[in-house]
Amino acid sequence: MSWCGVAGAAPVWRLRAGALWSPSGGSVRFCSSGTTLGGASRAIVDRVIRVDHAGEYGANRIYAGQMAVLGRTSVGPIIQKMWDQEKEHLRKFSELMVASRVRPTVLMPLWTVAGFALGAGTALLGKEGAMACTVAVEESIARHYNNQIRTLMEDDPEKHKELLQVIKKFRDEELEHHDIGLDHDAELAPAYAVLKSFIQAGCSTAIYLSERF
């Protein structure tokens, strides 16, 4: 499920004089990724890292919302385990953002609120609602990652080798989360098909906007 309040992976979401600035204070200087990219490749990498950072941040906010509601229930440890993996995803894309000099999406404040609200709102439907949300989001993200893999392979697989490895690994972990959701009664959520379609429409919109803005 790369969208503040996430332990160990505070995102950077404002730009200031050649550095990324964190809401917690201080700045992080840009460092070189060591890779020279042409105009087309540069644009592809910028878009990939920006949207994936936003997506992983959003996923963290969703799990934060779910844990706020269900953290002390029997499903709490399962949600926490998936959230811990999402924190690692966000940390990695935060590093890639700095190394590749990619600006974050300007919509980060929106994803802060929307992600938490989605997580908490579906968790209020019970364990099944939270797991339905997980299935819907992870299915969308895995599909999105597959599209990115195709794009990077078509552009230059050797030049994008490191990024491809990261995306493939994270895609596989998102698919694991998807399966965990199904194994824990996601399909028993109220109006499962409608809920899933609604969440996935929101994911598609968030991806479109985060890539561009």
Side-chain angles (χ1 to χ4, degrees):
M1 250 177 185
S2 138
W3 278 333
C4 236
V6 179
V12 285
W13 31 284
R14 298 182 191 175
L15 292 173
R16 183 181 66 186
L20 286 172
W21 178 77
S22 167
S24 61
S27 62
V28 180
R29 305 305 301 180
F30 286 127
C31 59
S32 171
S33 64
T35 301
T36 302
L37 297 173
S41 293
R42 175 76 262 172
I44 290 171
V45 169
D46 282 1
R47 179 172 289 195
V48 165
I49 293 178
R50 180 179 303 114
V51 69
D52 289 353
H53 173 266
E56 296 298 349
Y57 179 75
N60 272 270
R61 295 301 294 157
I62 289 171
Y63 281 122
Q66 291 183 350
M67 286 296 289
V69 177
L70 298 174
R72 295 188 178 183
T73 69
S74 61
V75 78
I78 298 169
I79 295 174
Q80 183 65 59
K81 183 177 180 180
M82 294 189 288
W83 188 14
D84 289 342
Q85 283 189 310
E86 299 297 347
K87 290 176 184 178
E88 287 301 309
H89 296 182
L90 177 58
R91 181 191 60 78
K92 181 60 178 179
F93 277 114
S94 295
E95 290 175 356
L96 289 173
M97 179 173 284
V98 174
S100 300
R101 300 176 178 238
V102 176
R103 68 163 179 82
T105 175
V106 299
L107 299 172
M108 292 297 284
L110 176 59
W111 304 150
T112 297
V113 176
F116 190 91
L118 177 60
T122 53
L124 287 171
L125 298 175
K127 177 193 76 171
E128 297 82 5
M131 292 299 166
C133 178
T134 294
V135 169
V137 171
E138 302 293 25
E139 188 175 289
S140 294
I141 296 303
R143 186 185 307 119
H144 168 68
Y145 276 155
N146 281 332
N147 290 337
Q148 288 186 333
I149 290 167
R150 283 192 290 271
T151 298
L152 293 170
M153 290 292 291
E154 290 170 359
D155 183 64
D156 191 328
E158 186 58 34
K159 190 176 293 183
H160 302 307
K161 182 178 179 180
E162 178 186 356
L163 186 53
L164 281 164
Q165 289 175 338
V166 169
I167 292 174
K168 288 176 181 177
K169 178 178 184 294
F170 291 175
R171 176 205 56 195
D172 291 345
E173 291 175 352
E174 308 295 8
L175 288 172
E176 289 178 7
H177 299 173
H178 171 274
D179 293 344
I180 288 171
L182 289 177
D183 289 342
H184 288 82
D185 302 327
E187 293 172 305
L188 298 181
Y192 170 75
V194 175
L195 180 63
K196 181 180 176 183
S197 296
F198 176 79
I199 293 171
Q200 291 189 328
C203 288
S204 296
T205 300
I207 288 169
Y208 178 86
L209 293 174
S210 296
E211 282 181 330
R212 290 158 177 80
F213 303 105

